[in-house]
Amino acid sequence: MLSRVCIALIQALAANLKSMVCLHILLIRFCVGGSGTTEIEDLKVMKMRREMSSRIWNRSLFLKRSSNFRASFSTKRIGTHNGTFHCDEALACFILRLSSRFSDAQIIRTRDHQVLEKLDAALDVGGVYDPQSERYDHHQKGFSEVFGLGFNTKLSSAGLVYKHYGLEIIAKEIQLDQRHPDVFRLFLAVYKNFIEAIDNGIHQYDTDQPPRYVNNTSLGHRIGRLNLDWIEPDQSSEKEDEAFHRAMELAGSEFLECVHFHAKSWLPARSIVMECLAKRYDIDSSGEIMKLSKQCPWKLHIFELEEEMKIDTPIKYVLYQDDRSENWRIQAVSVTPERFESRKPLPLSWRGLEKEKLSEESSIPGCVFVHMSGFIGANQTYEGALAMARVSLMTS
């Protein structure tokens, strides 16, 4: 029998929401399965169950509404312009949302200045650059902000956001302290190889000549094609915002790929090339031949490291073992990273020859081939590749 004392105890415990839920279930069992109580006591229990159900529902609804209110109150809001979008603001929004301060912030697309003034940040709109108030526009008259640290290209909104948040984001992505020297090195490398070219409004070449061919495959072009086509029947702002979020995802995924490539591949390769450059005189007294201790993307580093290490006589040839054939390659270093011409191509008389004919012409055993342009060749042994490099140095 459920005594009055038990009922009073239940009512006292039911002040706690969790207890109310448990007791709610308990009372259902009493009412459905029978409890051995009198009919009057059973009616009292059923009335208590209905009252507790109402209290549980009302409190749950209050907690849910309170949670939603707190979430909406605490969520940061980033503004950028509506209408046709470009790569710089799509990337800028993505990068800023990676920061701790603006993690998963809401994107508001508008040109209404009254709306923008109330937002926590504004990118590529508003006519103001002021990092203190989180305003990152580059369209205003007199804007001339550059990245610095040896880079003089005028920044876009993506560059502005990266300048102020890039170190934090890279440190977080590679899980190192922000003060670690590798973080700063990657910060510069990602800017140089990815951020600087993003919609900065600056021509890549100082020439008025038209390009020799059309290239519409850049990230900026691909982002541009995500804008709503004029033949789309639905030109609503909702549809436009969906397209912008796809642009953010595309720009952001390539940004993160760039960060991770430089952290996992570029940075270790840089260390290898630096060590090999330091040992170049152990390979040949000229100091113009470098032997790679391990095959890696050396061309990304050799030019910067020559300058950094103050190497007066530039490297002419790099020797490395081909992992697939186990032959040794000899590759001529190009004049600049962007050009195909070599500092010193392999001898003209060797070019286009293979195996016995090449060995006979060069008087070096074990030759495999020399490319028609003279930028690369191969020998079966390291000693043979080194001999090819030394003879090439002496050939005018």
Side-chain angles (χ1 to χ4, degrees):
M1 180 177 292
L2 197 63
S3 67
R4 293 179 180 178
V5 176
C6 290
I7 292 173
L9 181 60
I10 288 171
Q11 289 174 327
L13 290 171
N16 182 280
L17 179 61
K18 292 182 179 179
S19 299
M20 289 170 67
V21 174
C22 296
L23 292 169
H24 180 63
I25 296 170
L26 178 63
L27 289 171
I28 290 173
R29 289 183 177 178
F30 269 107
C31 294
V32 174
S35 58
T37 60
T38 65
E39 184 177 351
I40 294 175
E41 287 174 328
D42 283 343
L43 289 172
K44 289 181 179 180
V45 170
M46 291 177 69
K47 182 180 179 182
M48 285 172 52
R49 183 172 64 83
R50 285 194 298 270
E51 290 174 352
M52 281 190 289
S53 294
S54 177
R55 289 171 63 187
I56 291 171
W57 170 255
N58 290 335
R59 185 170 178 183
S60 298
L61 184 62
F62 170 77
L63 291 173
K64 182 177 181 180
R65 287 176 175 172
S66 299
S67 177
N68 290 340
F69 175 77
R70 286 194 300 270
S72 62
F73 184 77
S74 62
T75 299
K76 297 286 187 181
R77 295 184 299 167
I78 300 171
T80 190
H81 64 80
N82 55 358
T84 301
F85 51 78
H86 305 91
C87 188
D88 66 321
E89 73 264 23
L91 180 60
C93 288
F94 184 91
I95 291 176
L96 193 56
R97 293 177 81 243
L98 291 177
S99 68
S100 298
R101 183 173 185 180
F102 290 95
S103 178
D104 296 325
Q106 183 183 3
I107 303 298
I108 308 294
R109 301 183 71 239
T110 181
R111 292 185 184 274
D112 188 329
H113 283 270
Q114 291 184 340
V115 174
L116 290 169
E117 286 174 359
K118 299 175 184 178
L119 303 181
D120 301 288
L123 315 179
D124 209 51
V125 69
V128 176
Y129 167 56
D130 178 22
Q132 297 300 319
S133 60
E134 305 290 357
R135 265 52 190 168
Y136 302 99
D137 197 8
H138 64 114
H139 297 100
Q140 58 273 23
K141 184 177 180 179
F143 176 84
S144 60
E145 187 73 12
V146 299
F147 192 70
L149 302 170
F151 298 97
N152 299 309
T153 302
K154 193 165 63 172
L155 297 174
S156 67
S157 60
L160 291 173
V161 170
Y162 184 80
K163 180 175 182 176
H164 294 282
Y165 285 93
L167 278 171
E168 174 199 334
I169 290 164
I170 286 177
K172 189 186 300 183
E173 285 295 319
I174 65 175
Q175 299 181 349
L176 285 177
D177 187 275
Q178 194 168 317
R179 295 165 293 182
H180 194 285
D182 284 350
V183 172
F184 185 73
R185 191 167 286 122
L186 290 172
F187 174 61
L188 296 181
V190 172
Y191 176 78
K192 178 181 179 180
N193 294 290
F194 189 82
I195 300 292
E196 187 174 23
I198 301 295
D199 286 343
N200 53 40
I202 306 297
H203 290 295
Q204 189 174 10
Y205 302 104
D206 294 326
T207 177
D208 294 329
Q209 295 297 317
R212 294 184 177 179
Y213 54 86
V214 175
N215 180 9
N216 290 329
T217 61
S218 68
L219 177 60
H221 283 98
R222 286 181 282 127
I223 292 290
R225 286 195 290 271
L226 291 177
N227 279 283
L228 297 183
D229 199 298
W230 68 275
I231 60 172
E232 288 283 339
D234 186 354
Q235 297 282 328
S236 64
S237 58
E238 291 79 12
K239 198 73 174 178
E240 189 180 275
D241 288 349
E242 289 177 10
F244 181 74
H245 278 81
R246 288 196 296 273
M248 282 176 54
E249 291 170 7
L250 175 57
S253 65
E254 296 206 9
F255 167 73
L256 291 178
E257 283 177 8
C258 180
V259 172
H260 294 150
F261 163 77
H262 280 84
K264 296 177 181 179
S265 176
W266 181 89
L267 198 58
R270 188 180 191 277
S271 299
I272 292 172
V273 175
M274 180 180 284
E275 291 174 4
C276 295
L277 279 173
K279 297 177 180 178
R280 64 192 184 282
Y281 284 104
D282 296 339
I283 305 304
D284 187 74
S285 59
S286 68
E288 297 178 70
I289 303 172
M290 183 181 79
K291 174 190 174 186
L292 279 179
S293 58
K294 184 176 183 180
Q295 188 174 349
C296 66
W298 55 271
K299 286 178 279 188
L300 299 173
H301 304 285
I302 195 165
F303 299 95
E304 288 184 2
L305 288 174
E306 282 179 337
E307 183 177 350
E308 184 178 314
M309 298 170 70
K310 295 179 170 55
I311 296 176
D312 296 326
T313 305
I315 300 296
K316 303 300 189 301
Y317 303 109
V318 175
L319 310 180
Y320 57 91
Q321 190 169 24
D322 188 340
D323 292 336
R324 293 169 294 183
S325 65
E326 297 186 356
N327 291 326
W328 278 83
R329 296 292 182 98
I330 169 175
Q331 187 162 344
V333 179
S334 59
V335 176
T336 67
E338 297 83 17
R339 295 177 63 180
F340 293 111
E341 296 90 347
S342 302
R343 287 173 173 174
K344 190 170 181 57
L346 296 172
L348 182 61
S349 61
W350 296 1
R351 300 176 199 176
L353 299 181
E354 296 182 357
K355 300 180 181 179
E356 291 82 5
K357 289 184 179 180
L358 180 56
S359 292
E360 183 179 347
E361 176 66 30
S362 64
S363 301
I364 300 171
C367 289
V368 178
F369 79 95
V370 169
H371 192 272
M372 281 292 296
S373 66
F375 88 98
I376 194 169
N379 195 286
Q380 294 175 0
T381 66
Y382 164 69
E383 292 75 16
L386 179 58
M388 292 174 72
R390 284 172 170 165
V391 170
S392 298
L393 281 177
M394 296 184 292
T395 304
S396 57

